[in-house]
Amino acid sequence: MARNSVNKDETIINHKRMEIINRLFSYLKPYKLKVLVVMLMLIFVMICGVINPYLLQISMDNYIANGDLRGLVILACIMVGYNFVAMIVSIVRMKMMASVTNAVLVNIRQDLYGHIQKLTFSFFDNRPVGKILARVMGDVNSLQELFNNSITNFIPDLLNIICVTLIMFYMNFRLALASVILLPFLLILIFTIETFSRRRWQKFRQKKSNFNAFTHESFSGVRIIQSFATEENKKDKFDSLVVSMMDKFMSAIRLNDLFWPMVELSWGVGSIVVYWYGVRLIKGEGTLTVGTLVAFIWYVGMFWRPIINITQFYNTLITNFSAAERIFEIMDIEPDIINIKDARKMPKINGKVELKNVTFGYENDDIVLNEINLTVKPGETIALVGPTGAGKTTIVNLISRFYDASKGKVLIDDIDVKSVNLESLRSQMGIMLQDTFLFSTTIMENIRYGKLEATDEDVIEAAKAVNAHQFISKLKQGYSTEVNERGSRLSVGERQLISFARALLANPRILILDEATSNIDTTTERAVQKGIEKLLHGRTSFVIAHRLSTIRDCDRIIVIDDGIIKETGNHDELMNIEGLYYDLYHAQYRFLKEGA
């Protein structure tokens, strides 16, 4: 999958209309009892509305014409009574439907979020975070009106049209036919508009997604923007994306706005025809009473009003179809890394790690690892060194099964990592990746993330082990200090120490340290090294470090270059053979000396 940038439109994957509708409304199944109650209330309200014109006809032709005031008052009281009840029922059903809609949206968002969490690194490698957020937040929110209208408007309006149509044809066939004569032409126009409108809304959501991705990226990198004084440049790009998004929105909304004039025109022409033809029937043939004509005119309004509502629902459906497509497109993506059928739980790890003829390359990229063979004994501390891009981090990613090898096998305790449950594997690993990430919560909770059931004392002990306790204690609120997003309140070194404590708290069987001390000053580094010696003891550990002085005491150093293992041995052995490690070590030493 090609990397999608903030300026690149996402690929549109068209789905069948009924497929999307079925998937959307499958979320109503858990609430079918509430929906049924809402439907019954809607039917009651609809019946109350439908019989109003009929009772008006009776009042005019039977009571007013005959001067029966008592009968007229009784009929009026009956109409006021059931219409008042209908109003109360309408309020109750709106509240009930709102609760169902909100629950459905929560379920869709939870399903989407849960599915995204299962997707592998390759998914996130190929999408800006802002575009993912646009689907989780904006696209899901867009469905609220769709669900509300579908139950509260579409179904009762459809029933209303059927009932009113039957009543009109029962009252006067010719007059009824005249009132609906324009309906077929209206439907043809609506379906024609829908074909073009759906494409335009898809384009709008593409541009909106680009806008969200750019905004998220800009705010995440605001320090860089301000450091290089490129605010104006970013503002120009922001304005360009806003204009592009609004152009697509206006293009879509202009087409949608054609719905209303067409329906209103059809209603108006239909009413004129009914008036004209009804008056002819009264004056000419005398087959129609004034009360019947008045009731019929009322029914004509009751016929076209739900058509307007249904048109609005159809309009909403078109508008939000692209949102539903984008949601389901994500939910249809299968994770690259999944538990195989009948995957077993990983037993307690002893620590033997073996890579057999492992070859790996990222999508459409050159091979990163080529026929790697490596065996690590339980409790052994292995350092992985080599130039940038040599494949060091890729090796630990394969061991943790963040990616699967293209060829070959990765074994832990002679068990293929593909054959075991992912959670049972990773829960026994302590991983501190190169990118230090802290959550927007307290320092205590950030460290506890390594072991959610850990006590405060456990957290403090882990912090002491990596020499983080000292600086945390000096903070005004200590371990209760709130960390801003990504830990911006703390220095880079402090964030790394907290991340290190989090990894160590998990008490892993396999410990992976990817550039764990790269941002810690020399004095702190010495204290950290002393603090983790007992934690490395008896535990298989992989240490990736560009600062070669930090890995001198490792049991074995693996030198990797161009995706293959070039040298293996301890520090003294590799220095004696004067190979790649020797060159790297002395080059770094000369650099530090010159810098000093």
Side-chain angles (χ1 to χ4, degrees):
M1 182 186 296
R3 169 74 182 177
N4 187 280
S5 67
V6 296
N7 296 315
K8 183 179 179 182
D9 291 343
E10 294 169 288
T11 303
I12 296 175
I13 301 177
N14 287 309
H15 294 74
K16 293 181 180 178
R17 188 181 294 106
M18 286 310 301
E19 177 190 345
I20 294 176
I21 293 173
N22 289 336
R23 290 183 70 171
L24 280 175
F25 289 102
S26 66
Y27 281 92
L28 288 172
K29 288 181 181 178
Y31 310 99
K32 55 188 176 184
L33 183 59
K34 279 190 175 183
V35 172
L36 178 61
V37 173
V38 170
M39 290 295 300
L40 293 174
M41 289 191 287
L42 285 169
I43 291 172
F44 172 76
V45 173
M46 181 201 70
I47 292 173
C48 291
V50 168
I51 63 175
N52 278 331
Y54 181 72
L55 293 182
L56 178 64
Q57 177 197 350
I58 293 174
S59 67
M60 294 181 68
D61 291 343
N62 295 352
Y63 296 113
I64 295 176
N66 298 326
D68 187 352
L69 183 60
R70 182 174 178 276
L72 184 64
V73 171
I74 293 173
L75 186 63
C77 291
I78 292 173
M79 291 179 70
V80 170
Y82 71 70
N83 277 288
F84 178 77
V85 174
M87 181 184 69
I88 300 299
V89 171
S90 290
I91 294 172
V92 174
R93 61 96 176 169
M94 282 191 289
K95 289 183 177 180
M96 187 177 292
M97 194 59 220
S99 69
V100 170
T101 300
N102 288 332
V104 167
L105 293 183
V106 167
N107 291 340
I108 292 176
R109 187 173 278 116
Q110 287 176 335
D111 285 353
L112 181 59
Y113 178 78
H115 180 74
I116 290 174
Q117 281 202 117
K118 295 177 184 176
L119 296 177
T120 40
F121 285 0
S122 59
F123 171 81
F124 298 96
D125 290 343
N126 293 309
R127 281 177 176 80
V129 174
K131 293 195 176 186
I132 300 173
L133 290 175
R135 306 204 187 201
V136 177
M137 301 303 297
D139 289 339
V140 174
N141 287 340
S142 298
L143 301 178
Q144 183 169 9
E145 189 179 0
L146 176 63
F147 279 106
N148 270 331
N149 285 341
S150 64
I151 303 299
T152 58
N153 289 334
F154 177 70
I155 296 175
D157 284 335
L158 191 60
L159 294 174
N160 199 29
I161 289 173
I162 293 171
C163 291
V164 169
T165 303
L166 291 175
I167 291 172
M168 286 196 302
F169 276 95
Y170 171 76
M171 292 175 66
N172 191 295
F173 182 84
R174 289 182 292 177
L175 209 56
L177 195 62
S179 64
V180 301
I181 195 169
L182 293 178
L183 188 59
F185 301 101
L186 177 64
L187 295 177
I188 291 172
L189 286 172
I190 287 174
F191 283 112
T192 302
I193 290 175
E194 185 270 343
T195 302
F196 298 98
S197 183
R198 182 179 174 184
R199 294 174 192 164
R200 295 190 182 188
W201 282 112
Q202 286 175 335
K203 286 289 185 183
F204 163 67
R205 295 205 175 273
Q206 282 181 324
K207 299 302 180 184
K208 187 177 181 180
S209 182
N210 292 348
F211 169 76
N212 287 338
F214 176 83
T215 305
H216 180 274
E217 183 180 76
S218 296
F219 290 152
S220 296
V222 68
R223 286 175 173 79
I224 301 299
I225 293 172
Q226 292 181 356
S227 298
F228 287 91
T230 57
E231 291 92 339
E232 283 301 317
N233 175 266
K234 284 293 182 182
K235 183 179 179 299
D236 290 343
K237 289 184 178 179
F238 178 86
D239 292 343
S240 174
L241 288 171
V242 170
V243 169
S244 178
M245 179 177 66
M246 295 312 298
D247 283 346
K248 295 301 179 184
F249 175 77
M250 293 305 298
S251 173
I253 206 69
R254 284 193 197 100
L255 196 58
N256 273 35
D257 285 345
L258 291 177
F259 279 103
W260 314 120
M262 289 190 303
V263 178
E264 295 283 356
L265 180 63
S266 300
W267 185 357
V269 173
S271 298
I272 291 171
V273 171
V274 169
Y275 271 114
W276 173 77
Y277 194 56
V279 170
R280 285 191 58 186
L281 291 177
I282 292 174
K283 290 183 176 180
E285 302 178 11
T287 56
L288 196 69
T289 65
V290 173
T292 301
L293 179 60
V294 172
F296 208 93
I297 294 298
W298 195 345
Y299 276 125
V300 169
M302 293 180 66
F303 174 79
W304 283 102
R305 192 173 295 110
I307 286 181
I308 289 178
N309 293 337
I310 289 177
T311 306
Q312 181 179 358
F313 167 74
Y314 191 64
N315 201 6
T316 303
L317 188 67
I318 295 169
T319 302
N320 296 304
F321 238 65
S322 55
E325 283 180 315
R326 286 161 54 82
I327 291 169
F328 292 134
E329 187 227 328
I330 293 289
M331 294 178 74
D332 287 340
I333 295 175
E334 291 294 333
D336 298 332
I337 310 299
I338 58 174
N339 291 322
I340 64 170
K341 187 178 180 180
D342 301 324
R344 56 174 171 157
K345 184 177 180 181
M346 184 72 185
K348 185 177 179 180
I349 293 175
N350 291 320
K352 180 184 177 183
V353 178
E354 192 172 3
L355 279 68
K356 287 187 173 181
N357 300 316
V358 168
T359 297
F360 177 80
Y362 297 99
E363 292 184 29
N364 302 322
D365 288 338
D366 295 332
I367 295 298
V368 178
L369 298 176
N370 189 12
E371 295 289 331
I372 292 290
N373 286 283
L374 175 65
T375 301
V376 180
K377 300 174 184 177
E380 194 173 10
T381 300
I382 300 296
L384 300 173
V385 302
T388 300
K392 305 181 295 295
T393 299
T394 302
I395 287 178
V396 296
N397 281 339
L398 293 176
I399 295 170
S400 309
R401 210 188 164 207
F402 289 127
Y403 297 95
D404 277 336
S406 306
K407 295 179 182 177
K409 290 183 178 182
V410 178
L411 307 173
I412 295 179
D413 295 341
D414 299 320
I415 300 172
D416 192 332
V417 294
K418 293 182 181 180
S419 68
V420 298
N421 180 276
L422 280 169
E423 185 180 355
S424 68
L425 172 67
R426 292 176 185 165
S427 64
Q428 298 188 64
M429 292 186 171
I431 305 170
M432 182 177 172
L433 298 175
Q434 197 167 358
D435 181 23
T436 302
F437 187 93
L438 298 183
F439 296 94
S440 300
T441 182
T442 64
I443 291 176
M444 178 71 75
E445 292 306 313
N446 264 290
I447 297 176
R448 202 196 311 274
Y449 200 79
K451 186 180 180 182
L452 298 178
E453 68 275 14
T455 65
D456 290 355
E457 290 73 21
D458 294 334
V459 171
I460 293 171
E461 284 302 313
K464 287 179 178 179
V466 298
N467 207 39
H469 179 74
Q470 186 176 0
F471 90 82
I472 295 173
S473 300
K474 291 179 180 178
L475 297 173
K476 188 175 181 180
Q477 293 178 308
Y479 285 86
S480 298
T481 301
E482 290 283 339
V483 176
N484 288 351
E485 186 177 3
R486 302 189 71 89
S488 59
R489 282 186 177 181
L490 306 173
S491 70
V492 175
E494 288 170 342
R495 294 201 299 268
Q496 206 155 21
L497 285 173
I498 290 173
S499 181
F500 203 14
R502 178 170 61 196
L504 296 177
L505 181 64
N507 190 26
R509 304 305 306 158
I510 296 177
L511 184 64
I512 296 173
L513 309 178
D514 190 346
E515 293 294 339
T517 59
S518 61
N519 294 309
I520 300 175
D521 60 78
T522 306
T523 303
T524 305
E525 181 187 328
R526 291 195 186 102
V528 169
Q529 292 291 355
K530 291 178 181 178
I532 66 173
E533 280 179 5
K534 63 177 184 290
L535 295 167
L536 293 176
H537 180 69
R539 179 180 286 116
T540 305
S541 304
F542 292 86
V543 181
I544 299 176
H546 284 104
R547 196 186 300 175
L548 302 184
S549 59
T550 63
I551 48 92
R552 290 186 57 164
D553 296 328
C554 290
D555 297 324
R556 200 154 33 120
I557 299 171
I558 309 296
V559 184
I560 304 169
D561 191 22
D562 291 330
I564 60 175
I565 295 176
K566 293 289 184 71
E567 299 169 8
T568 300
N570 60 35
H571 173 76
D572 292 334
E573 291 171 343
L574 294 179
M575 291 298 289
N576 288 335
I577 64 174
E578 298 186 3
L580 179 59
Y581 179 80
Y582 177 90
D583 293 337
L584 289 171
Y585 189 86
H586 279 285
Q588 192 171 102
Y589 178 78
R590 283 194 302 271
F591 174 78
L592 293 173
K593 187 176 180 180
E594 290 169 3

